[in-house]
Amino acid sequence: MKKQLLAITLGAFAAQTANSAVLILDTFDSANSNSINAGATLDRLSGALANEVVNVLPQSYGGFASNNAFTTISNNTLRSSHTNSTGPLNLLADLRPDITDADTEEFTLSTDLSFVGPDSSWTSFFLTTHNGDERATSRMGLRVFGTGSIEIYNATSTGARTTVTIQPSTLTTDLGSAWDASASRLYQFVATPSSTPTASSAGTFTLKIDGAEITGATDLNYSLGPGNDGGSAFGFYNLASITLGASPGSTAVYDNWQAALTPEPSSLALIGMGGLLVLRRRRG
């Protein structure tokens, strides 16, 4: 019985560790403010890149919406209410060295998001460069529409940008309940870089919502290579949002923006070896 409990404990610890390599996490747990940067400190930000972001305050968030009456910290969430186009909001954390490292097995980009708006309105969440609003050229991102449909940004086999549209009926089937974009959902890109180190700026990704893989949004291509930022050089990549469509009455609520790495299998193997050593000592 003790062995079983230990195995369960080690398994839980391994699972926790597998999700603990956080590059950046913003919970938006700070005082209500029209400035996203007002409370962006280590009390709110965590992960390996938190110091990088905090050290460049007050520029940790950039873009038109970083200090905007329509984009606010409200009730420990990031809220964007549309009156006129708010433009993009960029989190200035340099993810590229980590997500393109040859040893990276997998990385995830995620956020909790709810969206309400007229049919033609939308909000977006995507990976972009430092050169401004790169939503139009991003090869990994999505837009959630007032209709309930989702448009996913991805790449063709040659790296050109393309899109996939997921209808509410598909989301209802995959999630097992009626799809409602106004309910807070966990949107997660799970990305696997190419196994070729020289091509680690490309790979495949899958969209998960509340932990469920979405039909038609699995094993999509992404490409972070030259040209995504309109130039010939590699870009400075970061999480980016928010962009709202042209229709009044839209409200997007974001929480828990996160970029994370999945530890290498060798790291988990060490945990397993540690468990075996504990068992061996107990037997002794």
Side-chain angles (χ1 to χ4, degrees):
M1 182 64 180
K2 289 182 179 179
K3 292 180 182 179
Q4 290 176 336
L5 288 173
L6 180 60
I8 292 171
T9 302
L10 289 170
F13 179 70
Q16 181 180 6
T17 303
N19 292 312
S20 63
V22 176
L23 296 176
I24 190 72
L25 169 63
D26 196 339
T27 62
F28 303 108
D29 290 350
S30 56
N32 293 351
S33 174
N34 287 344
S35 172
I36 306 306
N37 292 312
T41 67
L42 288 175
D43 292 330
R44 193 180 98 189
L45 292 161
S46 60
L49 300 180
N51 277 305
E52 173 185 320
V53 177
V54 170
N55 286 340
V56 295
L57 282 172
Q59 298 299 322
S60 60
Y61 282 91
F64 184 77
S66 60
N67 191 348
N68 184 286
F70 308 117
T71 306
T72 64
I73 299 291
S74 177
N75 296 324
N76 297 328
T77 61
L78 177 63
R79 181 179 297 267
S80 183
S81 298
H82 180 86
T83 299
N84 204 342
S85 182
T86 60
L89 171 65
N90 302 324
L91 172 57
L92 304 182
D94 191 355
L95 306 180
R96 188 179 182 89
D98 292 288
I99 67 178
T100 61
D101 188 278
D103 293 329
T104 297
E105 298 288 332
E106 184 179 275
F107 66 89
T108 62
L109 306 177
S110 62
T111 185
D112 295 317
L113 166 64
S114 64
F115 180 64
V116 177
D119 288 355
S120 60
S121 62
W122 49 269
T123 191
S124 63
F125 173 72
F126 51 93
L127 188 65
T128 187
T129 71
H130 71 297
N131 287 355
D133 181 6
E134 300 292 337
R135 178 189 58 79
T137 55
S138 174
R139 269 70 165 177
M140 187 186 297
L142 59 77
R143 290 198 293 173
V144 180
F145 287 85
T147 59
S149 64
I150 296 175
E151 181 181 68
I152 303 168
Y153 297 72
N154 61 109
T156 65
S157 58
T158 60
R161 177 185 175 276
T162 187
T163 61
V164 172
T165 300
I166 308 299
Q167 299 297 338
S169 57
T170 298
L171 297 166
T172 293
T173 299
D174 289 343
L175 296 174
S177 59
W179 171 248
D180 179 6
S182 68
S184 182
R185 305 277 188 174
L186 173 61
Y187 292 77
Q188 184 180 49
F189 292 126
V190 181
T192 304
S194 168
S195 58
T196 305
T198 56
S200 59
S201 59
T204 60
F205 71 97
T206 292
L207 172 65
K208 292 185 177 182
I209 298 179
D210 291 343
E213 291 188 357
I214 303 303
T215 302
T218 60
D219 299 322
L220 300 174
N221 293 314
Y222 72 86
S223 172
L224 308 180
N228 282 18
D229 61 359
S232 59
F234 288 114
F236 176 99
Y237 281 77
N238 53 80
L239 289 176
S241 196
I242 290 174
T243 307
L244 288 179
S247 299
S250 303
T251 299
V253 179
Y254 285 82
D255 202 3
N256 301 318
W257 279 8
Q258 179 173 271
L261 300 178
T262 300
E264 296 178 80
S266 57
S267 300
L268 299 182
L270 288 174
I271 295 171
M273 289 174 62
L276 290 175
L277 288 173
V278 171
L279 285 173
R280 192 169 292 175
R281 286 178 181 175
R282 283 185 177 275
R283 271 190 231 169

